[in-house]
Amino acid sequence: MKKVNLVFVIALFVVACNNSPEKSKADNPASSSSSESATQTKENSPAYTVEMVDNKKDFVCGMPVTAGIGDTAHYKGKVYGFCSKECKDDFLKNPMSYLAKK
C-alpha cells in the first residue's frame, strides 16, 4: 500500500510540474485572455527607433531621442518619441503648445 501511495504522489508531482501556468501561456499564446493580449508590456511592445519618430528632441525636457525612446505618442498621424511616460503625458495635455515651439 505504501508503494502505491508513493507512486501516486510522484505521478501527481510530475503532472503538476508539467502544467505550470507560465509554461502553458508560453507554449500556447492563443490561450491567454483578451485582456492580457490587449495590454502590452515593454517586452513585447514595438521598439521605436529615431528614424521612426517625427522629432529629434523630447518636446518636454529637451533630451535628444537618440539617447533612447522610452515612450511614444501618436498625434495627428505622426509618431513622437519621448524619454519617459511622464514627458509623453505632459505633451498630451497640450500638444499644440509644444508643436508650435517646433
Side-chain angles (χ1 to χ4, degrees):
M1 183 71 172
K2 288 182 182 181
K3 287 183 182 181
V4 171
N5 286 340
L6 181 61
V7 170
F8 178 73
V9 169
I10 291 172
L12 185 62
F13 178 75
V14 169
V15 170
C17 288
N18 286 334
N19 287 330
S20 67
E22 293 83 20
K23 187 174 180 181
S24 300
K25 287 181 183 176
D27 290 344
N28 188 4
S31 68
S32 64
S33 69
S34 61
S35 63
E36 287 180 83
S37 61
T39 306
Q40 290 188 339
T41 63
K42 280 193 167 192
E43 295 166 352
N44 63 2
S45 63
Y48 284 90
T49 62
V50 176
E51 296 80 25
M52 299 167 79
V53 296
D54 287 332
N55 59 321
K56 300 302 174 211
K57 287 180 20 178
D58 187 317
F59 293 114
V60 178
C61 68
M63 177 185 251
V65 292
T66 55
I69 298 174
D71 209 343
T72 57
H74 299 259
Y75 183 73
K76 292 193 174 184
K78 294 186 179 184
V79 178
Y80 298 105
F82 299 92
C83 69
S84 67
K85 180 182 181 321
E86 291 79 16
C87 284
K88 177 189 86 169
D89 291 343
D90 284 347
F91 170 80
L92 291 176
K93 289 177 186 174
N94 190 358
M96 288 310 296
S97 68
Y98 290 104
L99 292 174
K101 296 175 188 177
K102 182 179 170 185

Coordinates of all heavy atoms in Angstrom, one line a residue:
M1 N 0.8 -1.2 0.0 CA 0.0 0.0 0.0 C 0.9 1.3 0.0 O 0.5 2.2 -0.6 CB -0.9 0.0 1.2 CG -1.9 1.1 1.3 SD -3.1 0.9 0.0 CE -4.2 2.2 0.4
K2 N 2.0 1.2 0.7 CA 2.9 2.4 0.8 C 3.5 2.6 -0.6 O 3.7 3.8 -1.0 CB 4.0 2.2 1.8 CG 3.5 2.2 3.2 CD 4.6 2.0 4.2 CE 4.1 2.1 5.6 NZ 5.2 1.9 6.6
K3 N 3.8 1.6 -1.4 CA 4.3 1.8 -2.7 C 3.3 2.4 -3.6 O 3.7 3.3 -4.4 CB 4.8 0.4 -3.3 CG 6.0 -0.1 -2.6 CD 6.5 -1.4 -3.3 CE 7.7 -1.9 -2.6 NZ 8.2 -3.2 -3.2
V4 N 2.1 2.1 -3.5 CA 1.0 2.6 -4.4 C 0.9 4.1 -4.0 O 0.8 5.0 -4.9 CB -0.3 1.9 -4.1 CG1 -1.5 2.6 -4.9 CG2 -0.2 0.5 -4.6
N5 N 0.9 4.5 -2.7 CA 0.8 5.9 -2.4 C 2.0 6.7 -2.9 O 1.8 7.8 -3.3 CB 0.7 6.0 -0.8 CG -0.7 5.6 -0.3 OD1 -1.7 5.6 -1.1 ND2 -0.8 5.3 0.9
L6 N 3.2 6.1 -2.8 CA 4.4 6.8 -3.2 C 4.3 7.0 -4.7 O 4.6 8.1 -5.2 CB 5.6 6.0 -2.9 CG 6.9 6.6 -3.2 CD1 7.1 7.9 -2.6 CD2 8.1 5.6 -2.9
V7 N 3.9 6.0 -5.5 CA 3.8 6.2 -6.9 C 2.7 7.2 -7.3 O 2.9 8.0 -8.2 CB 3.4 4.8 -7.6 CG1 3.0 5.0 -9.0 CG2 4.6 3.8 -7.4
F8 N 1.6 7.2 -6.5 CA 0.6 8.2 -6.8 C 1.1 9.7 -6.5 O 0.9 10.6 -7.3 CB -0.6 7.9 -5.9 CG -1.7 8.9 -6.0 CD1 -2.5 9.0 -7.2 CD2 -2.0 9.9 -5.0 CE1 -3.5 9.9 -7.3 CE2 -3.0 10.8 -5.2 CZ -3.7 10.8 -6.3
V9 N 1.8 9.9 -5.4 CA 2.4 11.2 -5.1 C 3.4 11.6 -6.2 O 3.4 12.8 -6.6 CB 3.0 11.1 -3.7 CG1 3.8 12.4 -3.4 CG2 2.0 11.0 -2.6
I10 N 4.2 10.7 -6.6 CA 5.2 11.0 -7.6 C 4.5 11.4 -9.0 O 4.9 12.4 -9.6 CB 6.2 9.9 -7.8 CG1 7.1 9.8 -6.6 CG2 7.1 10.1 -9.1 CD1 8.0 8.6 -6.6
A11 N 3.5 10.6 -9.3 CA 2.8 10.9 -10.6 C 2.1 12.3 -10.5 O 2.1 13.1 -11.4 CB 1.8 9.8 -10.8
L12 N 1.5 12.6 -9.3 CA 0.8 13.9 -9.1 C 1.8 15.0 -9.2 O 1.5 16.0 -9.8 CB 0.2 13.9 -7.7 CG -0.7 15.1 -7.4 CD1 -1.8 15.2 -8.4 CD2 -1.2 15.0 -6.0
F13 N 3.0 14.8 -8.6 CA 4.1 15.8 -8.7 C 4.5 16.1 -10.2 O 4.6 17.2 -10.6 CB 5.3 15.4 -7.9 CG 6.4 16.4 -7.9 CD1 6.3 17.6 -7.2 CD2 7.5 16.1 -8.6 CE1 7.4 18.5 -7.3 CE2 8.6 17.0 -8.7 CZ 8.5 18.2 -8.0
V14 N 4.7 15.1 -10.9 CA 5.1 15.2 -12.3 C 4.0 15.9 -13.1 O 4.3 16.8 -13.9 CB 5.4 13.8 -12.9 CG1 5.6 13.9 -14.4 CG2 6.7 13.2 -12.3
V15 N 2.8 15.6 -12.9 CA 1.7 16.2 -13.7 C 1.6 17.7 -13.3 O 1.4 18.5 -14.1 CB 0.4 15.5 -13.4 CG1 -0.8 16.2 -14.0 CG2 0.4 14.1 -14.0
A16 N 1.7 18.0 -12.0 CA 1.6 19.4 -11.6 C 2.8 20.2 -12.1 O 2.6 21.4 -12.5 CB 1.6 19.4 -10.0
C17 N 4.0 19.6 -12.2 CA 5.1 20.4 -12.7 C 5.0 20.6 -14.2 O 5.4 21.7 -14.7 CB 6.4 19.6 -12.5 SG 6.9 19.7 -10.7
N18 N 4.3 19.8 -14.9 CA 4.2 19.9 -16.4 C 3.1 20.8 -16.8 O 3.0 21.3 -17.9 CB 4.0 18.5 -17.1 CG 5.2 17.7 -17.1 OD1 6.3 18.3 -17.1 ND2 5.1 16.4 -17.2
N19 N 2.2 21.2 -15.9 CA 1.1 22.1 -16.1 C 1.2 23.4 -15.5 O 0.2 24.0 -15.1 CB -0.2 21.4 -15.7 CG -0.6 20.2 -16.6 OD1 -0.3 20.3 -17.8 ND2 -1.3 19.2 -16.1
S20 N 2.4 23.9 -15.3 CA 2.5 25.2 -14.7 C 1.9 26.3 -15.6 O 2.0 26.2 -16.8 CB 4.0 25.5 -14.4 OG 4.7 25.7 -15.6
P21 N 1.3 27.4 -15.0 CA 0.7 28.4 -15.8 C 1.7 29.1 -16.7 O 1.3 29.5 -17.8 CB 0.1 29.4 -14.8 CG 0.1 28.7 -13.5 CD 1.1 27.6 -13.6
E22 N 2.9 29.4 -16.3 CA 3.8 30.1 -17.1 C 4.1 29.3 -18.4 O 4.2 29.8 -19.5 CB 5.1 30.4 -16.4 CG 5.0 31.3 -15.2 CD 4.5 30.7 -13.9 OE1 4.6 29.4 -13.8 OE2 3.9 31.4 -13.1
K23 N 4.3 28.0 -18.2 CA 4.7 27.2 -19.4 C 3.5 27.1 -20.3 O 3.6 27.1 -21.5 CB 5.1 25.8 -18.9 CG 5.6 24.9 -20.1 CD 6.2 23.6 -19.6 CE 6.7 22.8 -20.7 NZ 7.2 21.6 -20.4
S24 N 2.3 27.0 -19.8 CA 1.1 26.9 -20.6 C 0.9 28.1 -21.5 O 0.6 28.0 -22.7 CB -0.2 26.7 -19.8 OG 0.0 25.5 -19.0
K25 N 1.1 29.3 -20.9 CA 0.9 30.5 -21.7 C 2.0 30.7 -22.7 O 1.8 31.2 -23.8 CB 0.9 31.7 -20.8 CG -0.4 31.8 -20.0 CD -0.4 33.0 -19.1 CE -1.7 33.0 -18.2 NZ -1.7 34.1 -17.3
A26 N 3.2 30.3 -22.3 CA 4.4 30.4 -23.3 C 4.2 29.5 -24.4 O 4.5 29.8 -25.6 CB 5.7 30.2 -22.5
D27 N 3.7 28.3 -24.2 CA 3.6 27.3 -25.2 C 2.4 27.6 -26.1 O 2.4 27.3 -27.3 CB 3.3 25.9 -24.6 CG 4.6 25.3 -24.0 OD1 5.7 25.9 -24.3 OD2 4.5 24.4 -23.2
N28 N 1.3 28.2 -25.6 CA 0.1 28.5 -26.4 C -0.3 29.9 -26.1 O -1.2 30.2 -25.3 CB -1.0 27.5 -26.0 CG -2.2 27.6 -26.9 OD1 -2.2 28.4 -27.8 ND2 -3.2 26.9 -26.5
P29 N 0.3 30.9 -26.9 CA -0.1 32.3 -26.6 C -1.6 32.6 -26.9 O -2.2 33.5 -26.4 CB 0.8 33.1 -27.5 CG 1.4 32.1 -28.5 CD 1.2 30.8 -27.9
A30 N -2.2 31.8 -27.8 CA -3.6 32.0 -28.1 C -4.5 31.7 -26.9 O -5.7 32.1 -26.9 CB -4.1 31.1 -29.3
S31 N -4.0 31.0 -25.9 CA -4.8 30.6 -24.7 C -5.0 31.7 -23.7 O -5.8 31.7 -22.8 CB -4.3 29.4 -24.0 OG -3.0 29.7 -23.4
S32 N -4.2 32.8 -23.9 CA -4.3 33.9 -22.9 C -5.6 34.7 -23.2 O -6.1 34.7 -24.2 CB -3.1 34.9 -23.0 OG -3.1 35.5 -24.3
S33 N -6.1 35.3 -22.1 CA -7.4 36.0 -22.2 C -7.2 37.3 -23.0 O -6.1 37.8 -23.2 CB -7.9 36.4 -20.8 OG -7.0 37.4 -20.2
S34 N -8.3 37.8 -23.5 CA -8.2 39.0 -24.4 C -7.7 40.2 -23.6 O -7.1 41.1 -24.2 CB -9.6 39.3 -25.0 OG -10.5 39.6 -24.0
S35 N -8.0 40.3 -22.3 CA -7.5 41.5 -21.6 C -6.0 41.4 -21.5 O -5.3 42.4 -21.5 CB -8.1 41.5 -20.2 OG -7.8 40.4 -19.4
E36 N -5.4 40.2 -21.4 CA -4.0 40.1 -21.3 C -3.3 40.4 -22.6 O -2.3 41.1 -22.7 CB -3.6 38.7 -20.9 CG -3.8 38.3 -19.4 CD -3.4 36.9 -19.1 OE1 -2.2 36.7 -18.9 OE2 -4.3 36.1 -19.2
S37 N -3.9 40.0 -23.7 CA -3.3 40.3 -25.0 C -3.5 41.8 -25.4 O -2.7 42.3 -26.2 CB -3.9 39.4 -26.1 OG -5.3 39.6 -26.2
A38 N -4.5 42.4 -24.9 CA -4.7 43.8 -25.2 C -3.7 44.7 -24.5 O -3.4 45.8 -25.0 CB -6.1 44.3 -24.9
T39 N -3.2 44.3 -23.3 CA -2.3 45.0 -22.6 C -0.9 44.6 -22.9 O -0.6 43.4 -22.8 CB -2.5 44.8 -21.1 OG1 -3.8 45.1 -20.7 CG2 -1.5 45.7 -20.2
Q40 N -0.1 45.5 -23.5 CA 1.3 45.1 -23.9 C 2.3 45.5 -22.8 O 2.1 46.6 -22.3 CB 1.6 45.7 -25.2 CG 0.9 45.1 -26.4 CD 1.5 45.7 -27.7 OE1 2.1 46.7 -27.7 NE2 1.2 44.9 -28.7
T41 N 3.3 44.7 -22.6 CA 4.4 45.1 -21.8 C 5.5 45.6 -22.6 O 5.5 45.5 -23.8 CB 4.9 43.9 -20.9 OG1 5.3 42.9 -21.8 CG2 3.7 43.4 -20.1
K42 N 6.5 46.2 -22.0 CA 7.6 46.7 -22.7 C 8.3 45.6 -23.5 O 8.9 45.8 -24.5 CB 8.6 47.4 -21.8 CG 8.3 48.8 -21.4 CD 9.4 49.4 -20.8 CE 9.1 50.9 -20.7 NZ 10.3 51.7 -20.3
E43 N 8.3 44.4 -22.9 CA 9.0 43.3 -23.6 C 8.4 42.9 -25.0 O 9.1 42.6 -25.9 CB 9.0 42.1 -22.7 CG 9.7 42.3 -21.4 CD 9.4 41.2 -20.4 OE1 8.5 40.4 -20.6 OE2 10.1 41.2 -19.3
N44 N 7.1 43.1 -25.1 CA 6.5 42.7 -26.4 C 5.9 43.8 -27.2 O 5.3 43.6 -28.2 CB 5.5 41.6 -26.2 CG 4.3 42.0 -25.4 OD1 4.2 43.2 -25.0 ND2 3.4 41.1 -25.1
S45 N 6.2 45.1 -26.7 CA 5.7 46.2 -27.5 C 6.7 46.6 -28.5 O 7.9 46.3 -28.3 CB 5.4 47.4 -26.5 OG 6.6 47.8 -25.9
P46 N 6.3 47.2 -29.6 CA 7.2 47.5 -30.6 C 8.3 48.5 -30.2 O 7.9 49.5 -29.5 CB 6.4 48.1 -31.8 CG 5.1 48.5 -31.1 CD 4.9 47.6 -29.9
A47 N 9.5 48.3 -30.5 CA 10.6 49.3 -30.2 C 10.7 50.3 -31.3 O 10.9 49.9 -32.4 CB 11.9 48.5 -30.0
Y48 N 10.6 51.6 -31.0 CA 10.7 52.6 -32.0 C 12.1 53.1 -32.0 O 12.8 53.2 -31.0 CB 9.8 53.8 -31.6 CG 8.3 53.5 -31.9 CD1 7.5 53.0 -31.0 CD2 7.8 53.8 -33.2 CE1 6.2 52.7 -31.3 CE2 6.5 53.6 -33.5 CZ 5.7 53.0 -32.5 OH 4.4 52.7 -32.8
T49 N 12.6 53.4 -33.2 CA 13.9 53.9 -33.4 C 13.8 55.4 -33.8 O 12.7 55.9 -34.1 CB 14.7 53.2 -34.5 OG1 13.9 53.4 -35.8 CG2 14.8 51.7 -34.2
V50 N 14.9 56.1 -33.8 CA 15.0 57.5 -34.1 C 14.4 57.8 -35.4 O 13.7 58.8 -35.7 CB 16.4 58.1 -33.9 CG1 16.5 59.5 -34.3 CG2 16.9 57.9 -32.5
E51 N 14.6 56.9 -36.4 CA 14.1 57.1 -37.7 C 12.6 57.0 -37.8 O 12.0 57.4 -38.8 CB 14.8 56.1 -38.7 CG 16.3 56.2 -38.8 CD 17.1 55.6 -37.7 OE1 16.6 54.7 -37.0 OE2 18.2 56.1 -37.4
M52 N 12.0 56.3 -36.8 CA 10.6 56.1 -36.9 C 9.7 57.2 -36.3 O 8.5 57.2 -36.4 CB 10.2 54.8 -36.2 CG 10.9 53.6 -36.9 SD 10.9 52.1 -35.8 CE 9.2 51.5 -36.2
V53 N 10.3 58.2 -35.6 CA 9.6 59.2 -35.0 C 9.8 60.6 -35.7 O 10.8 60.7 -36.4 CB 9.9 59.4 -33.5 CG1 9.5 58.1 -32.7 CG2 11.4 59.6 -33.3
D54 N 8.9 61.5 -35.5 CA 9.0 62.8 -36.2 C 9.7 63.9 -35.5 O 9.7 65.0 -35.9 CB 7.6 63.2 -36.6 CG 7.0 62.4 -37.7 OD1 7.8 61.9 -38.6 OD2 5.8 62.3 -37.8
N55 N 10.3 63.6 -34.3 CA 11.0 64.6 -33.6 C 12.4 64.1 -33.2 O 12.6 62.9 -33.1 CB 10.3 65.0 -32.3 CG 10.0 63.8 -31.4 OD1 9.7 62.7 -31.8 ND2 10.1 64.1 -30.1
K56 N 13.3 65.0 -33.1 CA 14.7 64.6 -32.8 C 15.0 64.9 -31.3 O 16.0 64.4 -30.8 CB 15.7 65.4 -33.6 CG 15.5 65.1 -35.1 CD 15.7 63.7 -35.4 CE 15.3 63.4 -36.9 NZ 14.8 62.1 -37.1
K57 N 14.2 65.7 -30.7 CA 14.3 66.0 -29.2 C 13.0 65.9 -28.5 O 11.9 66.1 -29.1 CB 14.8 67.5 -29.0 CG 16.3 67.7 -29.4 CD 16.8 69.1 -29.2 CE 16.1 70.0 -28.3 NZ 16.8 71.3 -28.2
D58 N 13.0 65.4 -27.3 CA 11.8 65.3 -26.5 C 11.3 66.8 -26.3 O 12.0 67.7 -25.9 CB 12.2 64.7 -25.1 CG 11.0 64.4 -24.2 OD1 10.1 65.3 -24.1 OD2 11.0 63.3 -23.6
F59 N 10.0 67.0 -26.6 CA 9.5 68.3 -26.6 C 9.4 68.9 -25.2 O 9.5 70.1 -24.9 CB 8.0 68.3 -27.1 CG 7.9 68.1 -28.6 CD1 7.3 66.9 -29.0 CD2 8.4 69.0 -29.5 CE1 7.2 66.7 -30.4 CE2 8.3 68.7 -30.9 CZ 7.7 67.6 -31.3
V60 N 9.3 68.0 -24.2 CA 9.1 68.5 -22.8 C 10.4 68.8 -22.1 O 10.6 69.9 -21.6 CB 8.3 67.4 -22.0 CG1 8.1 67.9 -20.6 CG2 6.9 67.2 -22.7
C61 N 11.3 67.9 -22.1 CA 12.6 68.1 -21.4 C 13.8 68.4 -22.2 O 14.8 68.8 -21.7 CB 12.9 66.8 -20.6 SG 13.4 65.4 -21.5
G62 N 13.6 68.3 -23.6 CA 14.7 68.7 -24.5 C 15.7 67.6 -24.7 O 16.7 67.8 -25.4
M63 N 15.6 66.4 -24.1 CA 16.5 65.4 -24.3 C 16.5 64.8 -25.7 O 15.4 64.7 -26.3 CB 16.2 64.2 -23.3 CG 17.1 63.0 -23.5 SD 16.6 61.7 -22.4 CE 17.9 61.7 -21.2
P64 N 17.6 64.6 -26.3 CA 17.6 64.0 -27.7 C 17.0 62.6 -27.7 O 17.4 61.8 -26.8 CB 19.1 64.1 -28.1 CG 19.9 64.4 -26.9 CD 19.0 64.9 -25.9
V65 N 16.2 62.3 -28.7 CA 15.6 61.0 -28.7 C 16.7 59.9 -29.1 O 16.4 58.7 -28.9 CB 14.4 60.9 -29.6 CG1 13.3 61.7 -29.1 CG2 14.7 61.3 -31.0
T66 N 17.8 60.3 -29.5 CA 18.9 59.4 -29.8 C 19.4 58.8 -28.5 O 20.0 57.7 -28.5 CB 20.1 60.0 -30.5 OG1 20.5 61.2 -29.8 CG2 19.7 60.5 -31.9
A67 N 19.2 59.4 -27.4 CA 19.6 58.8 -26.1 C 18.7 57.7 -25.7 O 19.0 56.9 -24.8 CB 19.5 59.9 -25.0
G68 N 17.5 57.5 -26.3 CA 16.6 56.4 -26.0 C 15.2 56.9 -26.0 O 14.9 57.9 -25.4
I69 N 14.4 56.1 -26.6 CA 12.9 56.4 -26.6 C 12.2 55.5 -25.6 O 12.2 54.3 -25.8 CB 12.4 56.2 -28.1 CG1 13.0 57.1 -29.1 CG2 10.8 56.4 -28.1 CD1 12.7 56.9 -30.5
G70 N 11.7 56.2 -24.6 CA 11.0 55.4 -23.5 C 9.6 55.3 -23.8 O 8.9 54.3 -23.3
D71 N 9.0 56.2 -24.5 CA 7.5 56.1 -24.8 C 7.2 56.9 -26.1 O 8.1 57.7 -26.5 CB 6.7 56.6 -23.7 CG 5.3 56.0 -23.6 OD1 4.9 55.3 -24.6 OD2 4.7 56.1 -22.5
T72 N 6.1 56.6 -26.7 CA 5.7 57.3 -27.9 C 4.3 57.8 -27.8 O 3.5 57.2 -27.1 CB 5.9 56.4 -29.2 OG1 5.1 55.3 -29.0 CG2 7.3 56.1 -29.4
A73 N 4.0 58.8 -28.6 CA 2.6 59.3 -28.7 C 2.3 59.5 -30.2 O 3.1 59.9 -31.0 CB 2.4 60.6 -28.0
H74 N 1.1 59.1 -30.5 CA 0.6 59.3 -31.9 C -0.4 60.5 -31.9 O -1.3 60.5 -31.1 CB -0.2 58.0 -32.4 CG 0.6 56.8 -32.4 ND1 1.1 56.3 -33.6 CD2 1.1 56.0 -31.4 CE1 1.9 55.3 -33.3 NE2 1.8 55.0 -32.0
Y75 N 0.0 61.5 -32.7 CA -0.8 62.7 -32.7 C -0.9 63.2 -34.1 O 0.1 63.5 -34.8 CB -0.2 63.8 -31.8 CG -1.0 65.0 -31.7 CD1 -2.2 65.1 -31.0 CD2 -0.6 66.2 -32.3 CE1 -3.0 66.2 -30.9 CE2 -1.4 67.4 -32.2 CZ -2.6 67.4 -31.5 OH -3.3 68.5 -31.5
K76 N -2.1 63.4 -34.6 CA -2.4 63.9 -36.0 C -1.6 63.1 -37.0 O -1.0 63.7 -37.9 CB -2.2 65.4 -36.1 CG -3.2 66.2 -35.3 CD -3.2 67.6 -35.6 CE -4.3 68.3 -34.9 NZ -4.4 69.7 -35.3
G77 N -1.6 61.8 -36.9 CA -1.0 61.0 -37.9 C 0.5 60.9 -37.9 O 1.2 60.3 -38.7
K78 N 1.1 61.4 -36.8 CA 2.6 61.4 -36.7 C 2.9 60.7 -35.3 O 2.1 60.7 -34.4 CB 3.2 62.7 -36.7 CG 3.0 63.4 -38.1 CD 3.8 64.7 -38.1 CE 3.6 65.3 -39.5 NZ 4.4 66.6 -39.6
V79 N 4.1 60.1 -35.3 CA 4.6 59.5 -34.1 C 5.7 60.3 -33.5 O 6.7 60.7 -34.2 CB 5.1 58.0 -34.4 CG1 5.6 57.4 -33.1 CG2 4.0 57.2 -35.0
Y80 N 5.6 60.6 -32.2 CA 6.6 61.4 -31.5 C 7.2 60.6 -30.4 O 6.5 59.9 -29.7 CB 5.9 62.7 -30.9 CG 5.4 63.6 -32.0 CD1 4.0 63.7 -32.2 CD2 6.2 64.4 -32.8 CE1 3.5 64.5 -33.2 CE2 5.7 65.2 -33.8 CZ 4.3 65.3 -34.0 OH 3.8 66.1 -34.9
G81 N 8.5 60.7 -30.2 CA 9.2 59.9 -29.2 C 9.5 60.8 -28.0 O 9.7 62.0 -28.1
F82 N 9.5 60.1 -26.8 CA 9.7 60.8 -25.6 C 10.7 59.9 -24.7 O 10.7 58.7 -24.9 CB 8.4 61.0 -24.8 CG 7.5 61.9 -25.6 CD1 6.5 61.4 -26.4 CD2 7.6 63.3 -25.5 CE1 5.7 62.2 -27.1 CE2 6.7 64.1 -26.2 CZ 5.8 63.6 -27.1
C83 N 11.4 60.6 -23.8 CA 12.3 59.8 -23.0 C 11.6 59.1 -21.9 O 12.1 58.1 -21.4 CB 13.4 60.8 -22.4 SG 12.7 61.9 -21.1
S84 N 10.4 59.5 -21.5 CA 9.7 58.8 -20.5 C 8.2 59.0 -20.7 O 7.7 59.8 -21.4 CB 10.1 59.4 -19.1 OG 9.6 60.7 -19.0
K85 N 7.4 58.2 -19.9 CA 6.0 58.3 -19.9 C 5.5 59.6 -19.4 O 4.5 60.2 -19.8 CB 5.3 57.1 -19.1 CG 3.8 57.2 -19.0 CD 3.3 56.0 -18.2 CE 1.8 56.0 -18.1 NZ 1.1 57.2 -18.1
E86 N 6.2 60.2 -18.4 CA 5.9 61.4 -17.8 C 5.9 62.6 -18.8 O 5.1 63.4 -18.9 CB 6.8 61.7 -16.6 CG 6.5 60.8 -15.4 CD 7.2 59.5 -15.5 OE1 8.1 59.3 -16.4 OE2 6.8 58.6 -14.7
C87 N 7.0 62.6 -19.6 CA 7.1 63.6 -20.7 C 6.0 63.4 -21.7 O 5.5 64.4 -22.2 CB 8.5 63.5 -21.3 SG 9.9 64.2 -20.3
K88 N 5.7 62.2 -22.1 CA 4.6 62.0 -23.0 C 3.3 62.5 -22.5 O 2.5 63.2 -23.2 CB 4.5 60.5 -23.4 CG 3.3 60.2 -24.3 CD 3.1 58.7 -24.5 CE 2.2 58.3 -23.4 NZ 1.6 56.9 -23.5
D89 N 3.0 62.2 -21.2 CA 1.8 62.7 -20.6 C 1.7 64.2 -20.5 O 0.6 64.8 -20.8 CB 1.7 62.1 -19.2 CG 1.4 60.6 -19.2 OD1 1.1 60.0 -20.2 OD2 1.7 60.0 -18.1
D90 N 2.8 64.9 -20.3 CA 2.8 66.3 -20.3 C 2.5 66.8 -21.7 O 1.8 67.8 -21.9 CB 4.2 66.9 -19.8 CG 4.3 66.8 -18.3 OD1 3.3 66.5 -17.6 OD2 5.4 67.0 -17.8
F91 N 3.1 66.2 -22.7 CA 2.9 66.6 -24.1 C 1.4 66.5 -24.5 O 0.9 67.3 -25.1 CB 3.8 65.8 -25.0 CG 3.5 65.9 -26.5 CD1 3.9 67.0 -27.2 CD2 2.7 65.0 -27.1 CE1 3.7 67.1 -28.5 CE2 2.4 65.1 -28.5 CZ 2.9 66.2 -29.2
L92 N 0.8 65.4 -24.1 CA -0.6 65.1 -24.4 C -1.6 66.0 -23.8 O -2.7 66.1 -24.2 CB -0.9 63.6 -24.2 CG -0.2 62.6 -25.1 CD1 -0.5 61.2 -24.7 CD2 -0.6 62.8 -26.5
K93 N -1.2 66.7 -22.7 CA -2.1 67.6 -22.0 C -2.4 68.8 -23.0 O -3.4 69.4 -23.0 CB -1.5 68.1 -20.7 CG -1.5 67.1 -19.6 CD -0.8 67.6 -18.4 CE -0.7 66.5 -17.4 NZ 0.1 66.9 -16.2
N94 N -1.3 69.2 -23.7 CA -1.5 70.4 -24.6 C -0.5 70.3 -25.8 O 0.5 71.0 -25.8 CB -1.3 71.7 -23.9 CG -1.7 72.9 -24.7 OD1 -2.1 72.7 -25.9 ND2 -1.6 74.1 -24.2
P95 N -0.7 69.3 -26.7 CA 0.3 69.1 -27.7 C 0.5 70.3 -28.7 O 1.7 70.5 -29.1 CB -0.3 67.9 -28.5 CG -1.7 67.7 -28.0 CD -1.8 68.4 -26.8
M96 N -0.4 71.1 -28.9 CA -0.3 72.2 -29.9 C 0.7 73.2 -29.3 O 1.4 73.8 -30.1 CB -1.6 72.8 -30.2 CG -2.5 72.0 -31.1 SD -1.7 71.4 -32.6 CE -1.3 72.9 -33.4
S97 N 0.8 73.4 -28.0 CA 1.7 74.4 -27.5 C 3.2 73.9 -27.7 O 4.0 74.7 -28.0 CB 1.5 74.6 -26.0 OG 1.8 73.4 -25.2
Y98 N 3.4 72.6 -27.6 CA 4.7 72.1 -27.8 C 5.1 72.1 -29.3 O 6.2 72.3 -29.7 CB 4.9 70.6 -27.3 CG 4.9 70.6 -25.8 CD1 3.8 70.2 -25.1 CD2 6.0 71.0 -25.1 CE1 3.8 70.1 -23.7 CE2 6.0 71.0 -23.7 CZ 4.9 70.5 -23.0 OH 4.9 70.5 -21.6
L99 N 4.1 71.7 -30.2 CA 4.3 71.7 -31.6 C 4.5 73.1 -32.2 O 5.2 73.3 -33.2 CB 3.2 71.0 -32.3 CG 3.1 69.5 -32.0 CD1 1.9 68.9 -32.6 CD2 4.4 68.8 -32.5
A100 N 3.9 74.1 -31.6 CA 4.1 75.5 -32.0 C 5.5 76.0 -31.8 O 6.1 76.7 -32.6 CB 3.1 76.4 -31.3
K101 N 6.2 75.5 -30.8 CA 7.6 75.8 -30.5 C 8.5 75.1 -31.4 O 9.7 75.6 -31.6 CB 7.9 75.4 -29.0 CG 7.2 76.1 -28.0 CD 7.5 75.6 -26.6 CE 6.6 76.2 -25.5 NZ 6.9 75.6 -24.2
K102 N 8.1 74.1 -32.1 CA 8.9 73.3 -33.0 C 9.3 74.1 -34.2 O 10.1 74.4 -34.8 CB 8.1 72.0 -33.5 CG 8.9 71.1 -34.4 CD 8.0 69.9 -34.7 CE 8.7 69.1 -35.8 NZ 7.8 68.1 -36.3

